[in-house]
Amino acid sequence: GAVVSQHPSRVICKSGTSVKIECRSLDFQATTMFWYRQFPKKSLMLMATSNEGSKATYEQGVEKDKFLINHASLTLSTLTVTSAHPEDSSFYICSAPDRGVAPLHFGNGTRLTVT
Amino acid sequence: GNSVTQMEGPVTLSEEAFLTINCTYTATGYPSLFWYVQYPGEGLQLLLKATKADDKGSNKGFEATYRKETTSFHLEKGSVQVSDSAVYFCALREIQGAQKLVFGQGTRLTINP
């Protein structure tokens, strides 16, 4: 069935550096992808909606300049955490809808640790 | 705005016990409803869904019925297994705008042998 691949699964970086996370739809095209952040023992918070060929739509309170989203093709969206700080340490998950239905397909997530 | 409320966790049960995880929602119109499961260290997997009132979603022995009158979508399973230990998320899909998913806070379930 349809699969969303997210890479890397884990990353450790130093404070002040940038980290890029990729989200790919493997056997379907996704004009829209969603990026979520999950805090420990908390629910998923939608950060932004990635739109192929246009600017991402960010949720209130999410810094656009810190969390850069690029959706350059119908199968790839990237989230770049710029100038990372320890408080950015979290679990980031992407999701993509298949054929316009609800975002049923999730990546396995990326565990980011900023030291 | 739209929201989803789940019962507080964590929930700990013995194997073969009956499970209910409550979920209620607030939404404009009639959204689609979902249960997702997250196993340790993994992303989310769709467990079941219902797209209209009185629909029953089912999968792997789990069931949930879309109750419009009580705005609920409670998750049930008659006999849980150790392998069901995970975090369960109730969610709704907005019917307008970007049609994004809105999640409940998640319920951690632990099944003891």
Side-chain angles (χ1 to χ4, degrees):
Chain A
V3 175
V4 171
S5 174
Q6 191 171 338
H7 179 80
S9 58
R10 291 179 180 272
V11 58
I12 300 173
C13 70
K14 292 186 177 181
S15 187
T17 61
S18 295
V19 174
K20 180 184 285 188
I21 302 170
E22 293 187 346
C23 181
R24 295 181 183 273
S25 56
L26 295 186
D27 58 0
F28 66 98
Q29 295 181 333
T31 56
T32 301
M33 291 186 179
F34 300 92
W35 286 96
Y36 290 86
R37 180 175 179 176
Q38 186 178 25
F39 295 93
K41 299 183 180 180
K42 299 278 186 182
S43 187
L44 284 80
M45 179 192 78
L46 179 66
M47 299 174 65
T49 302
S50 171
N51 303 300
E52 189 270 334
S54 64
K55 292 182 179 180
T57 304
Y58 289 82
E59 296 299 302
Q60 191 173 8
V62 177
E63 299 177 59
K64 301 178 184 181
D65 295 333
K66 180 158 190 66
F67 298 100
L68 299 179
I69 290 174
N70 183 275
H71 196 149
S73 75
L74 287 171
T75 59
L76 174 64
S77 175
T78 60
L79 167 67
T80 301
V81 182
T82 63
S83 187
H85 289 95
E87 56 265 30
D88 298 326
S89 299
S90 194
F91 195 58
Y92 295 87
I93 305 176
C94 70
S95 169
D98 184 5
R99 289 185 292 274
V101 297
L104 302 178
H105 308 295
F106 283 80
N108 281 339
T110 298
R111 172 75 59 194
L112 170 63
T113 303
V114 184
T115 61
Chain B
N2 298 332
S3 65
V4 176
T5 302
Q6 288 180 235
M7 66 184 289
E8 289 285 332
V11 174
T12 302
L13 296 172
S14 297
E15 204 165 22
E16 299 184 0
F18 183 86
L19 168 70
T20 300
I21 301 178
N22 290 338
C23 171
T24 57
Y25 66 91
T26 301
T28 302
Y30 303 106
S32 296
L33 301 174
F34 305 85
W35 276 100
Y36 284 86
V37 58
Q38 184 179 30
Y39 297 102
E42 298 183 12
L44 273 69
Q45 301 175 27
L46 177 66
L47 181 60
L48 54 84
K49 67 176 182 178
T51 57
K52 61 183 187 296
D54 299 324
D55 266 3
K56 177 185 283 188
S58 61
N59 186 26
K60 299 180 181 179
F62 290 90
E63 292 183 341
T65 301
Y66 191 142
R67 300 288 189 198
K68 184 181 65 173
E69 61 277 10
T70 55
T71 61
S72 65
F73 193 54
H74 304 322
L75 182 67
E76 297 182 335
K77 185 173 185 180
S79 177
V80 292
Q81 307 299 314
V82 172
S83 57
D84 293 326
S85 298
V87 181
Y88 292 82
F89 292 94
C90 186
L92 66 81
R93 173 199 179 199
E94 297 181 336
I95 59 174
Q96 296 177 336
Q99 301 183 348
K100 58 194 179 190
L101 284 178
V102 176
F103 286 89
Q105 67 269 39
T107 302
R108 182 174 298 278
L109 173 67
T110 301
I111 306 300
N112 294 320

